[in-house]
Amino acid sequence: AHRSSRLSHVELAFSPRASYPFTQYTTHRIHTMSALSMTMATRPAVRAAVAPKTSRATRAVTRATPRMDGGIYKEPHHGFSDEIINEVLADFPEAGIADSLEGMILLVAGGYTVLDVRADSEIDFVGNFPKTDQRFKVCSLINASRKYDSEKGEKVYVQTVNEGFKAQIEKMFPDKEARIIVSCSDGRNRAIQALEIMDEMGYVNIVGLKGGYNLWNRQWDSKLRRRNLPGVFKEEYQHGADTCGVHATGAGFENQDAFQYADWRDTVEWLEAAPVAA
């Protein structure tokens, strides 16, 4: 059975589901995440206690995302079966948080747009979602410029809250039924803030991207192709399971350090936008 209510925006459980790029699925997906204890470890405790807004609870119903691709997945090289595609679409937007694999399905088959709320200078420095693809949009929650800090001996982000965030979002997405995946650097800070703001604004089809751009970029390249790493991996999803099994052939976990990316977690202390962003 699918989850009947969407997760709180703060329930960003970084389970093993999106830890590595996988090239194969089994036909079952896990619906219980085992890493809720890791949720928002770097955020204030009060944030972890935030429940879904009453406004959303009163209007929320069990909903599924209809297929917008005519039943023909436009990126068959991703390797998703129709069963997996339909399961993901049935879960969202109620599930609330999508990993990079689910996010791609929502983008391609579900008609979602990815909203990147990172700062422009950060995007220029770290990397960007496909710029020419109209399904990806940018609206910075926190404006920032990179400047050298002589005391720290490195460049840091000088930050200000984007006070026009709400107005810019409403201009970008005038339809409150728009399907939107919200992403920041790692999904643990600004994306949550943006989801909360947009929830209060009345947007009903909003989903957070677990791991943000950093984990998305590990899974997908600029042309939305899977990135190839040594070995062949598959992730086993089982309903009601406590953990998610990861199996590899051709490359054991003991050999993965050689091709690991840098830590995907963003260590920058970003400003709190609310209630300034109006």
Side-chain angles (χ1 to χ4, degrees):
H2 297 297
R3 284 164 288 190
S4 60
S5 61
R6 75 195 301 272
L7 294 177
S8 166
H9 294 324
V10 300
E11 291 184 344
L12 288 183
F14 293 96
S15 71
R17 295 181 66 183
S19 297
Y20 301 96
F22 301 100
T23 58
Q24 299 181 29
Y25 269 111
T26 60
T27 58
H28 299 287
R29 296 173 57 249
I30 189 169
H31 284 271
T32 56
M33 297 182 180
S34 62
L36 285 175
S37 61
M38 298 175 64
T39 300
M40 301 306 298
T42 61
R43 301 281 288 153
V46 66
R47 177 73 69 189
V50 175
K53 298 292 186 296
T54 301
S55 59
R56 175 170 294 279
T58 57
R59 64 175 181 266
V61 294
T62 301
R63 296 173 294 134
T65 299
R67 288 197 71 156
M68 304 299 291
D69 59 359
I72 301 175
Y73 193 76
K74 300 300 190 293
E75 305 285 350
H77 53 90
H78 291 165
F80 298 123
S81 68
D82 281 339
E83 181 178 2
I84 291 298
I85 293 169
N86 292 332
E87 282 191 15
V88 169
L89 295 180
D91 276 350
F92 290 91
E94 298 305 320
I97 303 299
D99 61 29
S100 60
L101 300 173
E102 293 166 329
M104 180 61 77
I105 291 174
L106 294 176
L107 176 77
V108 176
Y112 275 75
T113 296
V114 174
L115 173 64
D116 188 350
V117 299
R118 295 178 297 160
D120 290 338
S121 61
E122 177 187 6
I123 293 172
D124 291 340
F125 178 67
V126 177
N128 57 271
F129 290 104
K131 288 184 176 181
T132 59
D133 192 326
Q134 295 303 308
R135 294 173 296 181
F136 295 86
K137 299 183 182 298
V138 176
C139 184
S140 302
L141 181 67
I142 306 295
N143 295 319
S145 59
R146 284 176 53 81
K147 295 185 178 181
Y148 183 78
D149 186 318
S150 59
E151 293 184 0
K152 294 184 177 180
E154 60 182 4
K155 285 189 175 182
V156 300
Y157 288 107
V158 179
Q159 307 174 35
T160 58
V161 174
N162 178 8
E163 298 182 5
F165 180 76
K166 284 187 178 180
Q168 293 164 16
I169 289 295
E170 288 181 331
K171 183 177 181 180
M172 190 175 292
F173 301 102
D175 183 2
K176 295 298 174 66
E177 296 285 338
R179 302 182 185 120
I180 307 168
I181 299 172
V182 181
S183 173
C184 61
S185 55
D186 63 5
R188 301 190 301 162
N189 186 311
R190 288 164 293 170
I192 296 173
Q193 295 190 57
L195 284 165
E196 291 174 345
I197 291 171
M198 294 172 68
D199 181 68
E200 292 173 349
M201 292 171 66
Y203 288 93
V204 295
N205 293 316
I206 51 177
V207 174
L209 183 63
K210 182 168 65 176
Y213 171 80
N214 293 347
L215 283 186
W216 176 280
N217 189 47
R218 292 189 185 188
Q219 181 72 56
W220 309 108
D221 68 14
S222 61
K223 295 184 178 180
L224 305 186
R225 299 172 300 195
R226 287 180 181 272
R227 294 193 184 277
N228 295 319
L229 291 180
V232 176
F233 297 87
K234 69 177 180 180
E235 187 173 21
E236 182 178 358
Y237 293 134
Q238 296 179 344
H239 291 280
D242 291 328
T243 59
C244 184
V246 181
H247 309 280
T249 60
F253 281 107
E254 67 275 8
N255 297 322
Q256 288 190 14
D257 288 342
F259 56 86
Q260 288 283 324
Y261 286 83
D263 191 349
W264 56 271
R265 296 171 180 83
D266 187 351
T267 59
V268 176
E269 294 184 6
W270 294 99
L271 295 176
E272 292 285 335
V276 180

